[in-house]
Amino acid sequence: MDAAAYQSPISPGRSWYEDSVPDRPRYPALDGSLDVDVAIVGGGFTGLSAALHLAERGARVCVLEGARLGDGASGRNGGQMGTGHRLWPEELEAAFGLERARRLFALAEDAKTHLMELMATHGIEADYRPGQISLAHRRRFHEPFRRHAETMASRFGYASIRFLDAAETQERTGSRTYGAGLLDTGTGHLHPMKLLVGTARAAARAGALLFEETRARRIWRREGRVEIETARGTVRAERLLLATNAHGGRLNARNAAHVMPIRSFIAATAPLAEPHRVLPGGEAADDSRFVVRYFRKSADDRLLFGGREAYGSGAGDIAGAIRRQIADVYPHLADVAITHAWGGSVAVTTTRMPYVDSPEPGVTTIGGYSGHGVMLSHFAGRLYAERVMGNRDRLAELESLRVPAFPGGDRLRAPLLFLAMTWFALRDRL
């Protein structure tokens, strides 16, 4: 890796994803004022997907990204698509009833279909591989896992998940760490930076204006339009989508109160000498810890392993912390070479469900996918475009969730979350 290689100003470490996409394009900074139909602040999956679908329908749209496209979680995440939302459908049923839980699950399945169709339509090669294994890290999760597989088939019509006993779990992972699991053949994993680069290119081809290194400083309304101030120009728009997720800061106070940034970290090993000993079927994996460990192999047989979360601003020794977690799961890799170690900020909500809000006329904010955003964020961008173009308003299903704000206000919410997360991390060890 070139010592002078670009380093994101908003995310620590340089990712393997960056170094495995040699043709990551650059886009200009905004220079001068601009009038558009829709302005989008935030160049991740949500913003770029919205820009693509709006531009395809004839809207004049621009995207303002404060760093480079892909510097946030969309370009640096674990690449696991998952199924449904962060909450299991039976948890949604307990909260909202069976009918609405089924609607929310169907929406997430539509997100999965949408993403596969989008990659096919626009020729986006993102190293997609099928299969996801969810792992029980303690015996107390074995029976809930078994019931979950049964519930998904019987109550939600999803038969692609089945329970794994200890022998099959260990065979499929190549590890003796876990005693049970769930195999989901209806989903998979991919290279997030390749997906992001492909979506950006498709949006630009459709006519969307993409601007990097253009931070939105202030937002206000004037004469019925939204105005976004940047360092070198002002954007005026009929509508504004705030798709900043974990990087919104104080740009919108209501969004900041509902969406909490946390940092997650990943390391990439050198290509494994014996790749058949790790996830021989090529699936991705995640476990039942509150502070989730998640891992998969890349197309060139590296182990990509994530799991250490931080709720403050520091990153510390990313490689060392992840190496210890790798050794817990795969002792034979305790001394494996680590070529890349990086972090990124993801956004969580109090309910772990997406946050969609319209804080003022013409302004919509979408984010807080709580670690389940590869599919959901991409689809939310499409749903926003549907709303703007007056087609149908499936986004209302998420907006009506009414996610509450974090308690404690600006001064106390981060310390309170830190205490809560620390408690759950201690429970993971018991």
Side-chain angles (χ1 to χ4, degrees):
M1 182 177 65
D2 181 2
Y6 170 81
Q7 171 60 56
S8 166
I10 62 173
S11 300
R14 184 169 173 87
S15 77
W16 173 77
Y17 298 133
E18 293 173 275
D19 285 337
S20 59
V21 180
D23 55 348
R24 180 186 179 190
R26 281 189 175 272
Y27 295 91
L30 177 68
D31 188 6
S33 294
L34 186 65
D35 284 87
V36 295
D37 299 318
V38 183
I40 298 170
V41 177
F45 287 150
T46 305
L48 291 174
S49 175
L52 167 60
H53 290 96
L54 286 165
E56 285 182 329
R57 289 159 177 79
R60 182 166 169 79
V61 57
C62 75
V63 175
L64 307 178
E65 168 56 48
R68 287 187 66 188
L69 303 180
D71 276 5
S74 293
R76 301 169 72 87
N77 64 72
Q80 301 191 21
M81 289 169 57
T83 289
H85 299 268
R86 179 67 181 266
L87 297 183
W88 280 356
E90 52 264 50
E91 295 176 289
L92 295 175
E93 181 182 353
F96 304 115
L98 180 59
E99 181 180 348
R100 188 166 189 202
R102 284 175 171 165
R103 291 202 310 270
L104 287 165
F105 180 71
L107 197 71
E109 282 296 282
D110 288 346
K112 192 185 292 180
T113 301
H114 157 75
L115 188 53
M116 302 305 292
E117 290 178 347
L118 181 137
M119 290 190 289
T121 299
H122 294 282
I124 301 172
E125 177 48 60
D127 299 344
Y128 175 80
R129 301 178 74 179
Q132 174 89 23
I133 302 173
S134 294
L135 299 161
H137 84 290
R138 291 289 184 264
R139 182 173 293 276
R140 68 177 181 271
F141 292 103
H142 291 192
E143 191 55 33
F145 271 37
R146 188 189 304 275
R147 290 196 303 269
H148 177 63
E150 296 170 352
T151 298
M152 290 295 286
S154 64
R155 296 181 70 78
F156 294 92
Y158 189 78
S160 298
I161 289 181
R162 67 177 179 87
F163 180 77
L164 304 178
D165 62 17
E168 189 173 5
T169 298
Q170 292 166 14
E171 178 184 358
R172 287 186 172 275
T173 58
S175 171
R176 299 180 62 83
T177 301
Y178 300 99
L182 292 164
L183 174 64
D184 186 347
T185 58
T187 190
H189 54 102
L190 48 74
H191 190 305
M193 184 65 83
K194 288 184 177 180
L195 174 59
L196 183 132
V197 167
T199 305
R201 283 185 171 140
R205 284 196 301 266
L209 304 173
L210 309 182
F211 299 104
E212 294 184 320
E213 299 178 308
T214 303
R215 185 173 65 86
R217 291 179 167 179
R218 188 166 66 96
I219 296 168
W220 70 94
R221 291 189 63 82
R222 178 182 297 171
E223 298 177 352
R225 292 171 66 84
V226 182
E227 299 195 4
I228 306 102
E229 177 190 281
T230 76
R232 297 171 64 181
T234 297
V235 176
R236 291 175 291 273
E238 295 294 330
R239 292 175 179 264
L240 167 66
L241 170 61
L242 287 173
T244 52
N245 206 28
H247 297 281
R250 300 299 303 166
L251 199 57
N252 179 272
R254 207 154 96 182
N255 184 65
H258 288 81
V259 173
M260 172 75 73
I262 64 173
R263 278 190 168 171
S264 186
F265 301 95
I266 307 176
T269 72
L272 301 176
E274 299 177 294
H276 62 280
R277 295 183 63 184
V278 174
L279 295 167
E283 301 93 351
D286 68 290
D287 73 13
S288 56
R289 288 175 171 84
F290 190 86
V291 181
V292 181
R293 294 181 180 180
Y294 50 96
F295 46 99
R296 64 191 186 95
K297 287 187 299 189
S298 65
D300 64 348
D301 286 326
R302 298 169 186 268
L303 177 62
L304 308 180
F305 196 106
R308 170 179 171 258
E309 293 183 0
Y311 306 96
S313 59
D317 179 12
I318 300 173
I322 297 297
R323 180 187 294 281
R324 289 189 290 272
Q325 295 187 356
I326 291 174
D328 284 347
V329 180
Y330 295 109
H332 73 283
L333 297 179
D335 297 318
V336 70
I338 290 178
T339 62
H340 298 74
W342 69 95
S345 295
V346 299
V348 300
T349 66
T350 54
T351 62
R352 297 301 185 269
M353 291 295 286
Y355 175 66
V356 179
D357 186 34
S358 301
E360 56 184 283
V363 178
T364 300
T365 180
I366 307 176
Y369 304 103
S370 302
H372 229 255
V374 173
M375 293 186 319
L376 295 177
S377 60
H378 234 284
F379 194 52
R382 173 180 170 172
L383 298 185
Y384 175 76
E386 289 180 355
R387 169 181 282 185
V388 169
M389 303 309 292
N391 298 333
R392 47 182 171 166
D393 194 5
R394 291 186 287 174
L395 191 62
E397 186 71 67
L398 297 177
E399 188 166 18
S400 63
L401 289 171
R402 303 300 179 194
V403 173
F406 281 91
D410 285 349
R411 296 182 62 184
L412 294 179
R413 68 178 190 143
L416 288 173
L417 181 67
F418 175 81
L419 290 174
M421 295 301 185
T422 301
W423 163 248
F424 281 113
L426 289 172
R427 285 195 62 193
D428 283 343
R429 302 175 188 175
L430 302 176

